[in-house]
Amino acid sequence: METKLGPWPLGLDNLSEDTDLPEGALRGAEDVCIDPNGTINSAAGPALASPLPGAADVWTSLAGSTFARVEDQLLQVESGASYGALGDGPFAFADHLGGVIVSTHSQIFQVGQAPGVRPLALPAPSFQVRSTASGGLDAGRYGVAACALRGGEEFGLSAVQFVEVPQGGGLLLDISGLGDLVRVFRTSSNGTQLYRAVDAPSGMPDYMLGAGKLGSEPTGRFLEPMPGGHLLASWNGRVLCARGRNLNFSQPLRPALYDPRHDFIPLPGRITMVAPLPDGIYLGTRHETFFLNGTDPATATLIKLSASPPPEGCFAVLQGGLFTEIDDTKVAVWLSAEGFVLGLPGGQIVRPQVKRLRLSRPEHGSLVLRGTRLFALAH
């Protein structure tokens, strides 16, 4: 049986007195589904989307693939394919440059076709260097460093090792790195600046480095692999990762690497939201909400907002055209203690329910968009 009631364009209102409840507002609704025309029906029971016991951290990419964590394993839900053990959870996911990246507590990975998953960055190789009697080098003190290579990309540079070389001598390297090749850099005799010397096969126990033409300077000096964290996002060619109260950000157009001396922004408490728009980033902690205004996080301005923050993870970046009277551009959306909040470009916020709704503040949550309906799941 159907009963025509409503409509209620103002939505829920648990603040107004019963005698002052505005027309078009609804005090509460439990276990019912109300369409925009005001038709009430019993809410349908839950349907099992996929029989995946123990699944947690479920996430769906823009391409429609759903991933989940089962203990320390990464699974692709639709196919049931396993990517193997990635490490300590929980996992955080993000769409990045047409693909998917996933973060554990300690490391970020790049996801391909199952079982293809690899670290987003390679660590600096470990090596030992000593002098040898032959090689054609001038006598003096030489500095040597190395970085891993993958697909022509240089990763972070190792610490510099120094060795004294006799006249006409050379350098003998024991390299045990990761990746296809190890790029070795050296100084000139008694010099300080490193220059590219050779690309050597990874794992060579004795690699001879002598006189030869030197190339470019290293690009990965002072850079390290982006560490993992509990929230992950992609923004203007960078990777953003919240780790505790710090928002770490990668180098521009080098999403695998960051400078641990500078490439982070500390917030007053554990970060609960990282929602990037083209011109800035909406950030939340347990008690405050901010807008990082600018396209370069190193110089952007952190602006405190009046809106209350979401439970950790209960936010999304959606098209504004889903909402009434909002331009069809990217907007941040989160569930707050005052209902849903829209974060528009430039740090402008819209709180359509602030005068009518107050909610409890759970610790965690998520937003799910199904068609044109937005569901908040908080716990």
Side-chain angles (χ1 to χ4, degrees):
M1 176 180 177
E2 291 187 351
T3 303
K4 289 286 186 178
L5 297 173
W8 294 283
L10 297 182
L12 294 178
D13 184 336
N14 63 3
L15 289 183
S16 301
E17 296 292 337
D18 290 342
T19 54
D20 295 325
L21 192 66
E23 184 177 352
L26 186 65
R27 175 65 77 205
E30 295 184 9
D31 197 32
V32 296
C33 183
I34 307 172
D35 69 19
N37 296 321
T39 301
I40 293 182
N41 285 291
S42 296
L48 183 63
S50 177
L52 196 61
D57 305 331
V58 180
W59 177 86
T60 302
S61 71
L62 292 176
S65 294
T66 301
F67 299 88
R69 173 178 65 88
V70 177
E71 297 181 346
D72 62 351
Q73 305 277 321
L74 174 64
L75 275 74
Q76 207 277 335
V77 174
E78 288 86 356
S79 65
S82 173
Y83 288 83
L86 297 190
D88 47 342
F91 293 173
F93 299 87
D95 292 284
H96 178 68
L97 302 179
V100 171
I101 53 177
V102 55
S103 177
T104 67
H105 177 72
S106 56
Q107 194 173 5
I108 301 176
F109 296 87
Q110 189 175 25
V111 180
Q113 293 294 324
V117 62
R118 66 182 188 180
L120 186 62
L122 296 176
S126 61
F127 71 97
Q128 298 293 326
V129 59
R130 62 186 188 275
S131 65
T132 183
S134 61
L137 292 175
D138 294 331
R141 185 172 183 258
Y142 286 82
V144 182
C147 71
L149 279 181
R150 187 170 65 194
E153 179 184 3
E154 289 184 11
F155 292 94
L157 191 68
S158 70
V160 182
Q161 299 184 37
F162 293 94
V163 62
E164 293 287 342
V165 176
Q167 182 62 37
L171 299 163
L172 196 62
L173 285 77
D174 180 359
I175 303 170
S176 56
L178 299 172
D180 304 327
L181 296 171
V182 173
R183 179 160 291 171
V184 181
F185 300 84
R186 71 167 176 86
T187 66
S188 57
S189 175
N190 299 317
T192 58
Q193 180 58 55
L194 292 164
Y195 298 97
R196 176 179 172 182
V198 69
D199 292 348
S202 177
M204 291 288 289
D206 291 297
Y207 190 88
M208 173 69 178
L209 180 60
K213 185 177 180 180
L214 298 179
S216 58
E217 299 177 11
T219 63
R221 196 162 194 177
F222 307 118
L223 301 183
E224 296 182 4
M226 276 282 290
H230 60 279
L231 295 174
L232 190 63
S234 176
W235 182 58
N236 296 341
R238 299 179 190 258
V239 167
L240 308 173
C241 190
R243 185 178 178 87
R245 63 187 292 267
N246 287 337
L247 177 68
N248 296 317
F249 54 89
S250 72
Q251 291 279 294
L253 303 179
R254 301 189 75 178
L257 300 173
Y258 88 128
D259 187 335
R261 302 171 303 166
H262 310 297
D263 293 348
F264 67 95
I265 298 170
L267 266 66
R270 179 179 172 88
I271 297 172
T272 62
M273 173 174 64
V274 180
L277 302 185
D279 67 342
I281 308 167
Y282 282 93
L283 300 169
T285 67
R286 177 63 177 162
H287 302 290
E288 297 174 293
T289 306
F290 303 88
F291 182 68
L292 188 66
N293 187 26
T295 56
D296 182 351
T299 59
T301 303
L302 191 64
I303 302 170
K304 185 176 178 179
L305 304 176
S306 58
S308 64
E312 185 174 308
C314 201
F315 65 90
V317 176
L318 302 172
Q319 286 300 124
L322 292 166
F323 307 96
T324 304
E325 299 181 356
I326 301 296
D327 292 339
D328 193 22
T329 186
K330 285 187 177 181
V331 299
V333 187
W334 67 92
L335 181 69
S336 76
E338 301 150 348
F340 285 110
V341 179
L342 305 181
L344 309 184
Q348 180 186 356
I349 58 174
V350 178
R351 297 182 291 172
Q353 298 165 308
V354 66
K355 295 182 179 180
R356 302 188 305 274
L357 194 61
R358 290 294 182 273
L359 302 173
S360 61
R361 296 277 298 275
E363 291 289 332
H364 298 85
S366 59
L367 290 189
V368 178
L369 180 67
R370 186 174 183 182
T372 59
R373 287 193 169 192
L374 186 62
F375 297 88
L377 309 175
H379 53 88

